[in-house]
Every structure is written in C-alpha cells, then in structure tokens.
Amino acid sequence: MGARESRWVDPAPLEIARPRLPWWTLLPGWVKLVCLPVAVVWVLAWLLALLGRVVWRYPLLVLAAVVTAWFDMIAGHWAVGGTVAGLTVGLVVWWRVHPDSFWRIAGPARSEIRQLAVYSADWRSVMRLSDLVKLVRGKEHRPKLGRVRSEGWRDRVRVRMVKGQAPEQWEAHASGLAHAFKASSCRVRVRKPGRLELDFVHRDPLQRPIPAPALADDAAGVDLKRLPVGRTETGKLWRLRLLARHLLVVGVSGAGKGSLLWAIVRALAPMIRTGQVRLYGIDPKGGMELGQAPEVFGNRVVFDNGPDAVALLEDIATEVKTRASRYRGWLRSWSPSTGDPFLLLVVDELADVIAYQPDKTLRERATRAVQTITSQGRAPGVCVLGLLQDPRKEVVGFRHLFTTRIAMRLDEKQQVDMVLGDGVRERGATAHEISEQTPGVAWAKEDGRREPFRARAFHVTDDDLDELVTTVTGVPTHRAQVLSFPERGERDGGAVA
C-alpha cells in the first residue's frame, strides 16, 4: 500500500467568513449614549490641559503671539512688520545703553525662548542617547523637563527623574549633557527627592578681578558669622564664617591664596583696631606674604618654622585649654560678652610647619599643637586659617578638622577630592580646571552643605594694604615711599635701568 496523501479538510465548508467588527459596536445602545459624551468631555479636557500647560510654560511667548495675531487682523501685515522692526531697533539700543535693566525685563522671555528652542526641541533625543531613558514592558519612561531659567552665563534646568534613578547617574553623564546642549559644563544639583536642577554653564562670570570694597567704619557692622571676602558666580557676596570654624585653603603657587587671606583680614579691620579680634601669624617663607602688612599682627607674627613658630602654636593651644576651663559651666561657645578677644591664627604654608620641618621634635610639637587648636578651639573662640599647596594626607592628616575647605587652582583632579571631599568633582567642582589668568577663583565646601560653590576673592592691592594698616594702627602708611626705587620697579613689574 502506498503512503496516503494528507489533505487539509475545512471543518465548516458552508460557513461564510465573518467580518471583524469594532468592539464598541457590540456594546448596548444605552452604553453608547453614556460613553460618547464622556469621551467628548475627556478629549476637550485633555486639549484644555495641554493648552494650559503651554500657557503656563510659555506665557510671554503665547501673549506675544496672541497680540501679534490680533494686531495683524485689525492693522494688516505691513503695520505688524513695521512695528516689529521698530521694537527690535529700540530693544537693541536699550540693550547697548543699559544692559542690566534690559536683562531684568527681558530675562523671562530669554528663558522661555531657550526652553522651547534649545531644551524642549532635543530633550527626547538627548535623553535616549544618554541612556537616561528606561524601557519597562515596552513602555518608555523618560525624565520630564521642567522650567528653564536663563541667567545669561548659565541655564538652570529643572528635571524630574525617572523612578529608580539616582543623581549619581546624571553626574556620570554631565559632560555628555553639556556637549549635547552646547554648554561648557554641566553641574548636577539635588533640589528634593526625585527632582534635580542642571546648571548648564556658558561663560565665566568671574573672569574679571573684583576690587576690594571700602573698609567698614564700625566694628558693630562686622559679623564673624558672615564675613564678606569676595563674590560668588551668582553675583552675591561670598561670606565666610569664622566663628566656630576652621578654614583650610589649598592652591598652587599663584592661585590667589594671598587675596583671600587679606580679604579676610580687611573685613576684620574694625574689630582688630578695637581689640575685639587678635591676629597671630606664621609665615615660614620669611615674611613674603604676612610681611606685606605685619603691623596688623603686632608682635604676634613669626617669619620662620623654627622654635619661635612652635612656641607660638603651643601658647595658643594653652590659651584654648585655659578658655575652655574658664567657660566650663558658663558658656557653650565664645561670644563678645566674655571680654576675651576672638583669636585668628594665620599659618601661611602650613606644610612647612607640620610636615617639612627637618627637626623631628619641632615637627611633632607643631603637629600636636595645631591638632589641639583645630580640635578644641572652635568653642573657645579660636579660628585657624591654614594655607598650603600640597593637600596629601601625609602632609595634613587631619583635614577633617577644618570645617570649611577652599580649593583654588590645583594641579591634579584627584587633589580636588582630597580637599573638598569625595564626589565633589561629579557635582561640578573642577578646581583643577581653573585658569592661571583668574587668581582668586576657588571652589568652597562648607560642613552641612552637600553642594560646593564657586567664588572669587576680592583683589587686594598694595594701596588696599596701606589703607588696612592705617585703619588698624592709626598711622598713615605709604609703602611706595618706604621702598627704594629698584624695589618699586620690581614690585610694579617694570624694568629698572
């Protein structure tokens, strides 16, 4: 017998093909009468919500479009064109004559234009290419773009993260995001859980030196918790807290550490004059820095790192313990009501005192004294301002005792984390990229604040130092008349015949 041929048999040869009908045709009539108005209302509500969202995000652009359309209807195209041309010329003149007032008015419009033309236009593509989009069961979950605030030198872009994302993921893609939106850098800041603010920086507002302000007239106007020493990149005053704080300033040679040092001293001038603040200084470089105005230190400054410097440190450490014993059961921290002056110890090139001193005994004594002052001196009213170039742990092993750390221009990116703490580079603190042409620019990190900030110290000139010495001592000083002619030529950077 041969193999049987298998044939397909139609199970219902006489049944015709039934067409597929939409699911809603199978619903009862009364359901259709109820659902149709609901569907219409839902669509209208969705359209109104979409329109409201557009008006909420771009109110000025929507208003301009409505006014232009209305004016075009009543006056015609030529009138609209002439009016727009006249307004454009007027705005350009206003911008050139008084840019500050112009941007105060035009700033919101610039923000809306950049949000629409720069960020909204490419947001979806950039999120996908940056691997910040998540796919779950075929559905795309994309970070939502919020409001954009343009300040000229930077754009602040608010973002709602996808659930499950972390700020560290955005920090890892910050460089790519900056290039995607044509910015020089991108910084990631956490506003609140699930919400970020991205700073897209386009230019440096700290490019030019900031002149030192006039000295305060009255000691009552000096606040040890908010001492003005420069300006931040947002245009606000850079205020440092000395009370119950220790400051560590790190930067290579020529980074501008001296500008910050003298800006602090100038801000304290009225209290130094009245004796409410007492300065102590150690300058192992033979007085190259503190010797510019030694009069403000009185006889409490040492120009080496030898026995005199160590003795000064030990005297201050003893004063710290004496005050702590005297305040016990009376005060928790120093205040002017104690009658004791606030003590500020300035150590230029701290490493020369506690690390590079060849005499082991002096080095150990200096280290113990500085550790005592930094660990116990905040409550008794003693502040240490340490300046150095090398932030390695083997040089300063107790960096954590300095509650305010300031990184000026550094050589290596690893040094940024050494000074400001782990993870600050991912949040935008790029002290290793500070230009040699901008001395005094720094990144600062304070205890209790997650985000570092960028600022520039006041530029203190020789004339400013003369004013400082005159204010503190009451004796007019003109160092240009004291120096010999060759010294003046070298100081001014000119050639001496």
Side-chain angles (χ1 to χ4, degrees):
M1 294 178 59
R4 292 186 179 179
E5 296 182 359
S6 60
R7 295 186 304 169
W8 177 80
V9 179
D10 188 353
L14 301 179
E15 184 177 356
I16 62 175
R18 288 177 293 183
R20 292 189 171 217
L21 300 176
W23 60 270
W24 58 79
T25 60
L26 304 178
L27 296 176
W30 66 270
V31 175
K32 295 179 183 178
L33 292 176
V34 173
C35 291
L36 183 59
V38 172
V40 172
V41 171
W42 184 89
V43 171
L44 292 176
W46 177 79
L47 291 175
L48 288 175
L50 183 61
L51 179 60
R53 183 180 178 185
V54 172
V55 174
W56 171 255
R57 286 202 171 187
Y58 312 103
L60 297 179
L61 295 182
V62 171
L63 179 62
V66 171
V67 171
T68 302
W70 170 79
F71 189 60
D72 181 74
M73 290 176 58
I74 64 173
H77 302 324
W78 287 103
V80 172
T83 303
V84 171
L87 286 175
T88 302
V89 172
L91 291 175
V92 170
V93 172
W94 183 13
W95 169 62
R96 296 292 295 177
V97 173
H98 206 288
D100 293 338
S101 62
F102 172 81
W103 286 119
R104 278 197 296 269
I105 303 300
R110 177 178 57 187
S111 299
E112 294 183 15
I113 292 173
R114 291 195 61 79
Q115 177 169 355
L116 180 63
V118 177
Y119 298 101
S120 296
D122 294 334
W123 186 255
R124 178 179 300 179
S125 299
V126 172
M127 292 299 102
R128 288 174 176 173
L129 295 174
S130 301
D131 294 330
L132 293 172
V133 172
K134 300 297 181 182
L135 291 176
V136 179
R137 296 179 181 177
K139 182 180 179 181
E140 182 180 83
H141 296 264
R142 185 172 62 252
K144 293 185 178 180
L145 174 66
R147 282 188 173 273
V148 175
R149 288 291 179 267
S150 179
E151 299 176 356
W153 64 276
R154 71 170 176 177
D155 294 335
R156 294 185 296 145
V157 180
R158 293 186 176 182
V159 178
R160 181 187 298 174
M161 292 189 294
V162 174
K163 290 185 178 180
Q165 280 186 340
E168 289 75 15
Q169 295 174 257
W170 288 78
E171 292 168 357
H173 292 88
S175 179
L177 292 173
H179 286 283
F181 292 113
K182 296 179 175 58
S184 58
S185 65
C186 174
R187 305 170 192 165
V188 181
R189 294 185 290 111
V190 178
R191 291 184 56 241
K192 56 184 179 180
R195 306 293 180 93
L196 300 177
E197 189 165 81
L198 308 180
D199 286 352
F200 289 99
V201 181
H202 301 282
R203 61 178 179 85
D204 186 4
L206 301 177
Q207 190 69 31
R208 297 181 179 179
I210 304 172
L215 292 173
D217 296 329
D218 188 6
V222 179
D223 187 355
L224 294 176
K225 297 180 181 179
R226 293 169 52 83
L227 212 62
V229 297
R231 288 198 177 274
T232 66
E233 60 184 358
T234 61
K236 298 180 180 179
L237 281 176
W238 178 15
R239 298 182 181 272
L240 283 179
R241 175 169 182 159
L242 300 188
L243 187 62
R245 292 287 189 273
H246 297 301
L247 284 70
L248 182 66
V249 183
V250 184
V252 300
S253 180
K257 299 187 294 293
S259 295
L260 180 58
L261 159 64
W262 292 116
I264 294 174
V265 176
R266 277 178 57 87
L268 292 171
M271 298 187 73
I272 298 173
R273 181 183 57 200
T274 59
Q276 295 173 275
V277 170
R278 185 181 299 167
L279 295 185
Y280 294 86
I282 299 176
D283 187 352
K285 296 185 298 183
M288 292 300 295
E289 189 61 57
L290 302 188
Q292 301 299 314
E295 296 88 347
V296 299
F297 291 88
N299 297 322
R300 301 176 297 273
V301 60
V302 179
F303 295 132
D304 60 43
N305 63 347
D308 291 340
V310 176
L312 178 61
L313 291 174
E314 291 177 337
D315 288 344
I316 298 175
T318 301
E319 176 67 15
V320 167
K321 294 183 178 181
T322 302
R323 287 190 180 189
S325 300
R326 193 163 66 247
Y327 296 165
R328 185 185 305 124
W330 176 37
L331 292 172
R332 288 183 176 271
S333 61
W334 175 91
S335 68
S337 62
T338 61
D340 295 327
F342 182 82
L343 304 184
L344 175 61
L345 169 62
V346 180
V347 185
D348 191 26
E349 299 303 335
L350 179 62
D352 284 352
V353 179
I354 63 175
Y356 302 154
Q357 165 61 253
D359 189 317
K360 181 179 179 181
T361 301
L362 291 177
R363 185 171 66 248
E364 291 178 349
R365 287 171 56 191
T367 301
R368 286 196 298 268
V370 174
Q371 287 178 330
T372 299
I373 299 170
T374 52
S375 62
Q376 304 176 27
R378 290 188 292 173
V382 180
C383 172
V384 177
L385 172 59
L387 303 97
L388 74 157
Q389 299 184 33
D390 190 350
R392 291 177 298 168
K393 191 170 184 179
E394 52 266 30
V395 175
V396 184
F398 47 92
R399 294 194 304 262
H400 60 284
L401 296 178
F402 291 88
T403 48
T404 299
R405 284 167 281 180
I406 300 170
M408 292 187 160
R409 180 165 57 88
L410 300 174
D411 287 328
E412 303 172 0
K413 59 183 181 181
Q414 292 81 6
Q415 293 178 342
V416 181
D417 289 335
M418 293 180 189
V419 179
L420 302 180
D422 294 337
V424 291
R425 280 189 293 116
E426 288 75 9
R427 296 196 291 275
T430 52
H432 59 292
E433 296 180 357
I434 296 176
S435 171
E436 296 180 2
Q437 307 301 321
T438 56
V441 173
W443 281 92
K445 178 73 167 57
E446 299 175 349
D447 271 5
R449 292 183 58 175
R450 179 181 185 270
E451 305 297 337
F453 62 92
R454 188 168 177 267
R456 186 168 188 173
F458 293 131
H459 177 55
V460 181
T461 64
D462 286 347
D463 291 337
D464 295 327
L465 291 179
D466 290 342
E467 182 188 11
L468 169 65
V469 173
T470 301
T471 300
V472 172
T473 64
V475 179
T477 302
H478 302 286
R479 66 186 64 238
Q481 298 177 3
V482 175
L483 296 176
S484 64
F485 176 76
E487 290 173 328
R488 288 204 308 270
E490 293 173 0
R491 172 183 293 277
D492 296 337
V496 180

